[in-house]
Amino acid sequence: MMKKLACLAACAVAAFALSACSSFEMATNTNGVKFTTGEAETLGHVNADIWGVYVFGLPVISGSSVEPGKCVVFSDTVDTSNAISFLTHNTQRKLNASVITDVTTERTTGWLVPTVFFFYRDIQVSGNVVKK
């Protein structure tokens, strides 16, 4: 029974390791609707997500806070500071934006049900991008 549980836990960690642990997405089609008042040009809406898997509170694998779609091992990158940096860096690089408005964050923590000791943490940051 213990071998089956260990195998299941190893498979779950391997599945997480092979998936993208961080992502950056943007929606630029606003159908001419502005997100702010004034003269600023609306560029779109951006969302950044970083998540990781932890055992006893120690990071096993988590998303890169520098490069979307990459993972790092034994490094805790799932925090608000890294998520904001990830969002602003990729927004400036991909949209050449000067302003992000209405920035919101959402944190989630949960137990990975088929395992006993593994937990996940997730942080998402989003905002509207305008150019002055």
Side-chain angles (χ1 to χ4, degrees):
M1 181 67 172
M2 286 301 284
K3 287 183 180 180
K4 288 182 182 180
L5 286 176
C7 181
L8 181 63
C11 288
V13 170
F16 285 118
L18 296 174
S19 63
C21 298
S22 65
S23 65
F24 177 80
E25 296 180 7
M26 53 189 171
T28 56
N29 182 4
T30 63
N31 295 312
V33 176
K34 294 181 74 170
F35 290 161
T36 62
T37 58
E39 298 299 318
E41 174 189 0
T42 298
L43 297 178
H45 182 81
V46 291
N47 180 274
D49 183 27
I50 304 174
W51 63 270
V53 176
Y54 296 77
V55 61
F56 297 119
L58 301 171
V60 176
I61 187 166
S62 58
S64 170
S65 60
V66 178
E67 187 69 30
K70 302 289 183 180
C71 295
V72 294
V73 180
F74 306 121
S75 181
D76 189 5
T77 59
V78 185
D79 63 24
T80 304
S81 177
N82 285 335
I84 292 290
S85 176
F86 184 61
L87 179 80
T88 55
H89 173 74
N90 284 294
T91 299
Q92 185 176 35
R93 187 177 71 173
K94 293 183 179 187
L95 293 174
N96 195 24
S98 57
V99 178
I100 302 175
T101 63
D102 303 321
V103 175
T104 61
T105 61
E106 181 180 344
R107 291 185 60 98
T108 306
T109 301
W111 175 48
L112 295 174
V113 176
T115 66
V116 178
F117 305 111
F118 290 95
F119 289 82
Y120 73 91
R121 291 184 191 157
D122 179 46
I123 186 161
Q124 291 192 26
V125 181
S126 63
N128 299 324
V129 182
V130 295
K131 190 172 187 178
K132 290 188 177 189

PDB file of all heavy atoms in Angstrom, residues 10-39:
ATOM      1  N   ALA A  10       4.708  10.463  -6.426  1.00  0.00           N
ATOM      2  CA  ALA A  10       5.756  10.747  -7.403  1.00  0.00           C
ATOM      3  C   ALA A  10       5.158  11.107  -8.758  1.00  0.00           C
ATOM      4  O   ALA A  10       5.645  12.013  -9.443  1.00  0.00           O
ATOM      5  CB  ALA A  10       6.692   9.550  -7.537  1.00  0.00           C
ATOM      6  N   CYS A  11       4.092  10.424  -9.147  1.00  0.00           N
ATOM      7  CA  CYS A  11       3.423  10.737 -10.418  1.00  0.00           C
ATOM      8  C   CYS A  11       2.794  12.122 -10.385  1.00  0.00           C
ATOM      9  O   CYS A  11       2.854  12.849 -11.371  1.00  0.00           O
ATOM     10  CB  CYS A  11       2.366   9.681 -10.736  1.00  0.00           C
ATOM     11  SG  CYS A  11       3.067   8.095 -11.220  1.00  0.00           S
ATOM     12  N   ALA A  12       2.205  12.484  -9.250  1.00  0.00           N
ATOM     13  CA  ALA A  12       1.599  13.811  -9.130  1.00  0.00           C
ATOM     14  C   ALA A  12       2.653  14.904  -9.235  1.00  0.00           C
ATOM     15  O   ALA A  12       2.476  15.901  -9.935  1.00  0.00           O
ATOM     16  CB  ALA A  12       0.841  13.927  -7.809  1.00  0.00           C
ATOM     17  N   VAL A  13       3.778  14.719  -8.559  1.00  0.00           N
ATOM     18  CA  VAL A  13       4.858  15.705  -8.622  1.00  0.00           C
ATOM     19  C   VAL A  13       5.427  15.776 -10.037  1.00  0.00           C
ATOM     20  O   VAL A  13       5.707  16.864 -10.558  1.00  0.00           O
ATOM     21  CB  VAL A  13       5.953  15.388  -7.587  1.00  0.00           C
ATOM     22  CG1 VAL A  13       7.181  16.251  -7.808  1.00  0.00           C
ATOM     23  CG2 VAL A  13       5.417  15.584  -6.179  1.00  0.00           C
ATOM     24  N   ALA A  14       5.594  14.628 -10.692  1.00  0.00           N
ATOM     25  CA  ALA A  14       6.101  14.621 -12.067  1.00  0.00           C
ATOM     26  C   ALA A  14       5.150  15.338 -13.018  1.00  0.00           C
ATOM     27  O   ALA A  14       5.578  16.075 -13.900  1.00  0.00           O
ATOM     28  CB  ALA A  14       6.324  13.187 -12.538  1.00  0.00           C
ATOM     29  N   ALA A  15       3.844  15.130 -12.821  1.00  0.00           N
ATOM     30  CA  ALA A  15       2.861  15.815 -13.666  1.00  0.00           C
ATOM     31  C   ALA A  15       2.943  17.325 -13.477  1.00  0.00           C
ATOM     32  O   ALA A  15       2.875  18.084 -14.449  1.00  0.00           O
ATOM     33  CB  ALA A  15       1.457  15.320 -13.351  1.00  0.00           C
ATOM     34  N   PHE A  16       3.106  17.771 -12.236  1.00  0.00           N
ATOM     35  CA  PHE A  16       3.238  19.193 -11.986  1.00  0.00           C
ATOM     36  C   PHE A  16       4.545  19.728 -12.567  1.00  0.00           C
ATOM     37  O   PHE A  16       4.601  20.832 -13.078  1.00  0.00           O
ATOM     38  CB  PHE A  16       3.172  19.504 -10.486  1.00  0.00           C
ATOM     39  CG  PHE A  16       1.794  19.420  -9.936  1.00  0.00           C
ATOM     40  CD1 PHE A  16       1.483  18.503  -8.961  1.00  0.00           C
ATOM     41  CD2 PHE A  16       0.787  20.251 -10.396  1.00  0.00           C
ATOM     42  CE1 PHE A  16       0.201  18.415  -8.451  1.00  0.00           C
ATOM     43  CE2 PHE A  16      -0.496  20.180  -9.899  1.00  0.00           C
ATOM     44  CZ  PHE A  16      -0.788  19.253  -8.919  1.00  0.00           C
ATOM     45  N   ALA A  17       5.598  18.929 -12.485  1.00  0.00           N
ATOM     46  CA  ALA A  17       6.897  19.364 -12.984  1.00  0.00           C
ATOM     47  C   ALA A  17       6.889  19.552 -14.492  1.00  0.00           C
ATOM     48  O   ALA A  17       7.598  20.397 -15.026  1.00  0.00           O
ATOM     49  CB  ALA A  17       7.974  18.359 -12.589  1.00  0.00           C
ATOM     50  N   LEU A  18       6.085  18.773 -15.193  1.00  0.00           N
ATOM     51  CA  LEU A  18       6.043  18.855 -16.644  1.00  0.00           C
ATOM     52  C   LEU A  18       5.061  19.904 -17.153  1.00  0.00           C
ATOM     53  O   LEU A  18       4.975  20.147 -18.347  1.00  0.00           O
ATOM     54  CB  LEU A  18       5.705  17.482 -17.230  1.00  0.00           C
ATOM     55  CG  LEU A  18       6.757  16.405 -16.956  1.00  0.00           C
ATOM     56  CD1 LEU A  18       6.263  15.052 -17.436  1.00  0.00           C
ATOM     57  CD2 LEU A  18       8.084  16.762 -17.585  1.00  0.00           C
ATOM     58  N   SER A  19       4.295  20.496 -16.274  1.00  0.00           N
ATOM     59  CA  SER A  19       3.344  21.527 -16.692  1.00  0.00           C
ATOM     60  C   SER A  19       3.940  22.906 -16.405  1.00  0.00           C
ATOM     61  O   SER A  19       4.846  23.052 -15.607  1.00  0.00           O
ATOM     62  CB  SER A  19       2.018  21.361 -15.953  1.00  0.00           C
ATOM     63  OG  SER A  19       2.216  21.550 -14.572  1.00  0.00           O
ATOM     64  N   ALA A  20       3.410  23.901 -17.072  1.00  0.00           N
ATOM     65  CA  ALA A  20       3.896  25.270 -16.871  1.00  0.00           C
ATOM     66  C   ALA A  20       3.437  25.776 -15.511  1.00  0.00           C
ATOM     67  O   ALA A  20       2.270  25.675 -15.165  1.00  0.00           O
ATOM     68  CB  ALA A  20       3.369  26.175 -17.971  1.00  0.00           C
ATOM     69  N   CYS A  21       4.375  26.298 -14.742  1.00  0.00           N
ATOM     70  CA  CYS A  21       4.073  26.772 -13.395  1.00  0.00           C
ATOM     71  C   CYS A  21       3.852  28.275 -13.340  1.00  0.00           C
ATOM     72  O   CYS A  21       3.538  28.810 -12.286  1.00  0.00           O
ATOM     73  CB  CYS A  21       5.202  26.396 -12.457  1.00  0.00           C
ATOM     74  SG  CYS A  21       5.462  24.633 -12.293  1.00  0.00           S
ATOM     75  N   SER A  22       4.078  28.954 -14.436  1.00  0.00           N
ATOM     76  CA  SER A  22       3.803  30.383 -14.489  1.00  0.00           C
ATOM     77  C   SER A  22       3.277  30.721 -15.875  1.00  0.00           C
ATOM     78  O   SER A  22       3.643  30.088 -16.856  1.00  0.00           O
ATOM     79  CB  SER A  22       5.060  31.211 -14.177  1.00  0.00           C
ATOM     80  OG  SER A  22       6.042  31.017 -15.159  1.00  0.00           O
ATOM     81  N   SER A  23       2.395  31.702 -15.912  1.00  0.00           N
ATOM     82  CA  SER A  23       1.855  32.099 -17.213  1.00  0.00           C
ATOM     83  C   SER A  23       1.571  33.594 -17.220  1.00  0.00           C
ATOM     84  O   SER A  23       1.318  34.201 -16.183  1.00  0.00           O
ATOM     85  CB  SER A  23       0.576  31.317 -17.540  1.00  0.00           C
ATOM     86  OG  SER A  23      -0.452  31.639 -16.625  1.00  0.00           O
ATOM     87  N   PHE A  24       1.632  34.147 -18.413  1.00  0.00           N
ATOM     88  CA  PHE A  24       1.296  35.556 -18.638  1.00  0.00           C
ATOM     89  C   PHE A  24       0.385  35.598 -19.849  1.00  0.00           C
ATOM     90  O   PHE A  24       0.739  35.109 -20.919  1.00  0.00           O
ATOM     91  CB  PHE A  24       2.565  36.380 -18.902  1.00  0.00           C
ATOM     92  CG  PHE A  24       2.278  37.814 -19.210  1.00  0.00           C
ATOM     93  CD1 PHE A  24       2.011  38.706 -18.195  1.00  0.00           C
ATOM     94  CD2 PHE A  24       2.247  38.278 -20.514  1.00  0.00           C
ATOM     95  CE1 PHE A  24       1.734  40.033 -18.479  1.00  0.00           C
ATOM     96  CE2 PHE A  24       1.982  39.590 -20.806  1.00  0.00           C
ATOM     97  CZ  PHE A  24       1.719  40.478 -19.777  1.00  0.00           C
ATOM     98  N   GLU A  25      -0.802  36.135 -19.652  1.00  0.00           N
ATOM     99  CA  GLU A  25      -1.766  36.215 -20.747  1.00  0.00           C
ATOM    100  C   GLU A  25      -2.254  37.650 -20.880  1.00  0.00           C
ATOM    101  O   GLU A  25      -2.341  38.378 -19.900  1.00  0.00           O
ATOM    102  CB  GLU A  25      -2.955  35.293 -20.480  1.00  0.00           C
ATOM    103  CG  GLU A  25      -2.575  33.827 -20.439  1.00  0.00           C
ATOM    104  CD  GLU A  25      -3.765  32.923 -20.185  1.00  0.00           C
ATOM    105  OE1 GLU A  25      -4.908  33.413 -20.171  1.00  0.00           O
ATOM    106  OE2 GLU A  25      -3.530  31.728 -20.002  1.00  0.00           O
ATOM    107  N   MET A  26      -2.573  38.014 -22.121  1.00  0.00           N
ATOM    108  CA  MET A  26      -3.097  39.356 -22.362  1.00  0.00           C
ATOM    109  C   MET A  26      -4.255  39.293 -23.338  1.00  0.00           C
ATOM    110  O   MET A  26      -4.283  38.454 -24.231  1.00  0.00           O
ATOM    111  CB  MET A  26      -2.002  40.283 -22.862  1.00  0.00           C
ATOM    112  CG  MET A  26      -1.248  39.800 -24.040  1.00  0.00           C
ATOM    113  SD  MET A  26       0.162  40.880 -24.339  1.00  0.00           S
ATOM    114  CE  MET A  26       0.961  39.918 -25.580  1.00  0.00           C
ATOM    115  N   ALA A  27      -5.212  40.165 -23.094  1.00  0.00           N
ATOM    116  CA  ALA A  27      -6.358  40.316 -23.989  1.00  0.00           C
ATOM    117  C   ALA A  27      -6.302  41.738 -24.520  1.00  0.00           C
ATOM    118  O   ALA A  27      -6.434  42.696 -23.761  1.00  0.00           O
ATOM    119  CB  ALA A  27      -7.662  40.064 -23.232  1.00  0.00           C
ATOM    120  N   THR A  28      -6.092  41.857 -25.822  1.00  0.00           N
ATOM    121  CA  THR A  28      -5.917  43.186 -26.396  1.00  0.00           C
ATOM    122  C   THR A  28      -7.109  43.654 -27.219  1.00  0.00           C
ATOM    123  O   THR A  28      -7.160  44.818 -27.609  1.00  0.00           O
ATOM    124  CB  THR A  28      -4.654  43.230 -27.268  1.00  0.00           C
ATOM    125  OG1 THR A  28      -4.743  42.211 -28.265  1.00  0.00           O
ATOM    126  CG2 THR A  28      -3.400  43.004 -26.431  1.00  0.00           C
ATOM    127  N   ASN A  29      -8.068  42.793 -27.487  1.00  0.00           N
ATOM    128  CA  ASN A  29      -9.246  43.196 -28.253  1.00  0.00           C
ATOM    129  C   ASN A  29     -10.289  43.751 -27.296  1.00  0.00           C
ATOM    130  O   ASN A  29     -11.011  43.010 -26.639  1.00  0.00           O
ATOM    131  CB  ASN A  29      -9.815  42.011 -29.029  1.00  0.00           C
ATOM    132  CG  ASN A  29     -11.001  42.405 -29.882  1.00  0.00           C
ATOM    133  OD1 ASN A  29     -11.359  43.572 -29.964  1.00  0.00           O
ATOM    134  ND2 ASN A  29     -11.611  41.425 -30.514  1.00  0.00           N
ATOM    135  N   THR A  30     -10.382  45.069 -27.215  1.00  0.00           N
ATOM    136  CA  THR A  30     -11.341  45.705 -26.317  1.00  0.00           C
ATOM    137  C   THR A  30     -12.566  46.228 -27.059  1.00  0.00           C
ATOM    138  O   THR A  30     -13.423  46.870 -26.456  1.00  0.00           O
ATOM    139  CB  THR A  30     -10.676  46.873 -25.560  1.00  0.00           C
ATOM    140  OG1 THR A  30     -10.281  47.863 -26.509  1.00  0.00           O
ATOM    141  CG2 THR A  30      -9.480  46.395 -24.763  1.00  0.00           C
ATOM    142  N   ASN A  31     -12.652  45.969 -28.354  1.00  0.00           N
ATOM    143  CA  ASN A  31     -13.785  46.416 -29.174  1.00  0.00           C
ATOM    144  C   ASN A  31     -14.017  47.913 -29.063  1.00  0.00           C
ATOM    145  O   ASN A  31     -15.149  48.392 -29.086  1.00  0.00           O
ATOM    146  CB  ASN A  31     -15.056  45.652 -28.804  1.00  0.00           C
ATOM    147  CG  ASN A  31     -14.938  44.190 -29.139  1.00  0.00           C
ATOM    148  OD1 ASN A  31     -14.527  43.828 -30.233  1.00  0.00           O
ATOM    149  ND2 ASN A  31     -15.270  43.332 -28.184  1.00  0.00           N
ATOM    150  N   GLY A  32     -12.939  48.664 -28.911  1.00  0.00           N
ATOM    151  CA  GLY A  32     -13.032  50.114 -28.849  1.00  0.00           C
ATOM    152  C   GLY A  32     -13.453  50.661 -27.497  1.00  0.00           C
ATOM    153  O   GLY A  32     -13.596  51.874 -27.333  1.00  0.00           O
ATOM    154  N   VAL A  33     -13.649  49.805 -26.511  1.00  0.00           N
ATOM    155  CA  VAL A  33     -14.063  50.251 -25.175  1.00  0.00           C
ATOM    156  C   VAL A  33     -12.821  50.661 -24.393  1.00  0.00           C
ATOM    157  O   VAL A  33     -11.828  49.929 -24.345  1.00  0.00           O
ATOM    158  CB  VAL A  33     -14.805  49.120 -24.430  1.00  0.00           C
ATOM    159  CG1 VAL A  33     -15.148  49.537 -23.012  1.00  0.00           C
ATOM    160  CG2 VAL A  33     -16.045  48.719 -25.194  1.00  0.00           C
ATOM    161  N   LYS A  34     -12.880  51.837 -23.767  1.00  0.00           N
ATOM    162  CA  LYS A  34     -11.769  52.322 -22.960  1.00  0.00           C
ATOM    163  C   LYS A  34     -11.932  51.841 -21.526  1.00  0.00           C
ATOM    164  O   LYS A  34     -13.044  51.738 -21.022  1.00  0.00           O
ATOM    165  CB  LYS A  34     -11.707  53.847 -23.004  1.00  0.00           C
ATOM    166  CG  LYS A  34     -11.364  54.393 -24.388  1.00  0.00           C
ATOM    167  CD  LYS A  34     -11.299  55.889 -24.385  1.00  0.00           C
ATOM    168  CE  LYS A  34     -10.042  56.307 -23.690  1.00  0.00           C
ATOM    169  NZ  LYS A  34      -9.737  57.730 -23.804  1.00  0.00           N
ATOM    170  N   PHE A  35     -10.817  51.552 -20.873  1.00  0.00           N
ATOM    171  CA  PHE A  35     -10.835  51.105 -19.482  1.00  0.00           C
ATOM    172  C   PHE A  35     -10.706  52.256 -18.496  1.00  0.00           C
ATOM    173  O   PHE A  35     -10.946  52.082 -17.312  1.00  0.00           O
ATOM    174  CB  PHE A  35      -9.706  50.113 -19.220  1.00  0.00           C
ATOM    175  CG  PHE A  35      -9.908  48.779 -19.903  1.00  0.00           C
ATOM    176  CD1 PHE A  35      -8.842  47.943 -20.101  1.00  0.00           C
ATOM    177  CD2 PHE A  35     -11.147  48.348 -20.326  1.00  0.00           C
ATOM    178  CE1 PHE A  35      -8.993  46.707 -20.707  1.00  0.00           C
ATOM    179  CE2 PHE A  35     -11.318  47.123 -20.940  1.00  0.00           C
ATOM    180  CZ  PHE A  35     -10.241  46.301 -21.128  1.00  0.00           C
ATOM    181  N   THR A  36     -10.297  53.427 -18.980  1.00  0.00           N
ATOM    182  CA  THR A  36     -10.148  54.593 -18.105  1.00  0.00           C
ATOM    183  C   THR A  36     -10.728  55.811 -18.803  1.00  0.00           C
ATOM    184  O   THR A  36     -10.943  55.812 -20.012  1.00  0.00           O
ATOM    185  CB  THR A  36      -8.665  54.880 -17.798  1.00  0.00           C
ATOM    186  OG1 THR A  36      -7.993  55.177 -19.017  1.00  0.00           O
ATOM    187  CG2 THR A  36      -8.001  53.708 -17.120  1.00  0.00           C
ATOM    188  N   THR A  37     -10.968  56.842 -18.030  1.00  0.00           N
ATOM    189  CA  THR A  37     -11.400  58.107 -18.616  1.00  0.00           C
ATOM    190  C   THR A  37     -10.159  58.930 -18.934  1.00  0.00           C
ATOM    191  O   THR A  37      -9.077  58.681 -18.427  1.00  0.00           O
ATOM    192  CB  THR A  37     -12.307  58.880 -17.636  1.00  0.00           C
ATOM    193  OG1 THR A  37     -11.579  59.108 -16.428  1.00  0.00           O
ATOM    194  CG2 THR A  37     -13.561  58.092 -17.341  1.00  0.00           C
ATOM    195  N   GLY A  38     -10.310  59.908 -19.763  1.00  0.00           N
ATOM    196  CA  GLY A  38      -9.182  60.760 -20.103  1.00  0.00           C
ATOM    197  C   GLY A  38      -8.587  60.406 -21.453  1.00  0.00           C
ATOM    198  O   GLY A  38      -9.196  59.730 -22.271  1.00  0.00           O
ATOM    199  N   GLU A  39      -7.367  60.857 -21.652  1.00  0.00           N
ATOM    200  CA  GLU A  39      -6.712  60.721 -22.944  1.00  0.00           C
ATOM    201  C   GLU A  39      -5.900  59.436 -23.094  1.00  0.00           C
ATOM    202  O   GLU A  39      -5.340  59.196 -24.147  1.00  0.00           O
ATOM    203  CB  GLU A  39      -5.784  61.926 -23.159  1.00  0.00           C
ATOM    204  CG  GLU A  39      -6.515  63.246 -23.192  1.00  0.00           C
ATOM    205  CD  GLU A  39      -7.526  63.319 -24.321  1.00  0.00           C
ATOM    206  OE1 GLU A  39      -7.224  62.863 -25.442  1.00  0.00           O
ATOM    207  OE2 GLU A  39      -8.639  63.822 -24.073  1.00  0.00           O
TER     208      GLU A  39
END
